[in-house]
Amino acid sequence: MKFAILGSGTGSNAEAILKAYRAGRLGNAVPVGIFCDIPGAKILEHGKTYGVPAVQLDPGPFRTKFSPEREAAWAQAIREAGAEWIVLAGFMRVLKAPLLDAFPGKIINLHPSLLPSFPGLDGIGQAWRWGVAVSGCTVHFVNAALDAGTIIDQAVVRREATDTLETFAQKIHEQEHRLLPDVIRRLSMRA
Ligand code: GAR
């Protein structure tokens, strides 16, 4: 199962995936490329460190979506890298037909809350401000609706009285770094 990682920022989840791959913990899954929409984003550095091609591609003029032409160009570049699957790991742009149709049922996303609660931006801050006792993270299939595709798995994090937003976020990120590589491994065993 060859897959591409799409990300926009720090790439700590991309790094967790690449570390798991290097350690032989990714089953039959093979990362073939990292694709980033933000020039100079740290995620691009992980490509060099782990020997996986990493490129920044132009998404078009919008902030949270692609232009249709650019999304088609991304789909083509990802296909040409040999990917059959796409893993969204901190990718802050919604996908539409050009990518969804090119990889039907083969795109997964990581989200930092227990969906369907707190979709959209800043899932961790939204849950914190609501005052939840538990939150966590979700890996789900991607469809045309925002953060609403079929859930594959979730991990739960408890908010303790001693937590700050920072420690709460840290615990959610730790669970993300464990959950996402494990879901990729499990999908690769059945793909
Ligand atoms: C992660 O917490 C991920 O769940 C979130 O962005 C962060 C990326 O961190 N994704 C979303 O909010 C998607 N809506 P990273 O760049 O260090 O992997």
Side-chain angles (χ1 to χ4, degrees):
M1 171 184 153
K2 292 182 179 169
F3 68 97
I5 302 171
L6 272 56
S8 302
T10 312
S12 68
N13 285 284
E15 187 173 27
I17 293 167
L18 297 170
K19 266 191 185 149
Y21 176 63
R22 197 160 71 177
R25 284 188 284 108
L26 223 47
N28 297 321
V30 180
V32 295
I34 298 172
F35 295 83
C36 173
D37 55 343
I38 306 294
K42 195 166 169 223
I43 189 172
L44 293 162
E45 294 168 22
H46 298 311
K48 286 196 203 89
T49 309
Y50 291 89
V52 174
V55 289
Q56 190 270 331
L57 296 178
D58 176 14
F62 308 107
R63 206 170 52 83
T64 58
K65 64 175 187 177
F66 292 93
S67 63
E69 307 73 40
R70 291 310 306 158
E71 188 162 352
W74 275 62
Q76 190 179 344
I78 294 166
R79 274 269 176 246
E80 281 169 5
E84 310 157 293
W85 284 74
I86 293 178
V87 174
L88 305 182
F91 191 64
M92 303 312 240
R93 224 167 261 277
V94 295
L95 308 193
K96 294 205 161 92
L99 274 164
L100 295 175
D101 291 352
F103 295 85
K106 298 213 162 156
I107 307 179
I108 65 171
N109 179 48
L110 171 68
H111 184 78
S113 75
L114 294 176
L115 292 172
S117 295
F118 310 118
L121 290 177
D122 191 20
I124 298 176
Q126 289 187 61
W128 175 265
R129 287 187 292 278
W130 192 270
V132 298
V134 292
S135 189
C137 53
T138 302
V139 181
H140 64 92
F141 286 106
V142 174
N143 62 18
L146 180 68
D147 296 331
T150 303
I151 290 171
I152 303 170
D153 205 354
Q154 297 181 303
V156 175
V157 168
R158 175 161 284 280
R159 175 184 180 158
E160 305 292 350
T162 50
D163 271 330
T164 61
L165 175 57
E166 288 66 35
T167 61
F168 186 57
Q170 179 60 35
K171 289 193 291 190
I172 291 173
H173 292 315
E174 281 166 17
Q175 288 305 313
E176 290 187 316
H177 297 162
R178 188 192 57 73
L179 182 69
L180 183 56
D182 196 52
V183 167
I184 295 169
R185 180 187 63 75
R186 280 182 266 151
L187 286 172
S188 83
M189 305 311 266
R190 66 169 220 207

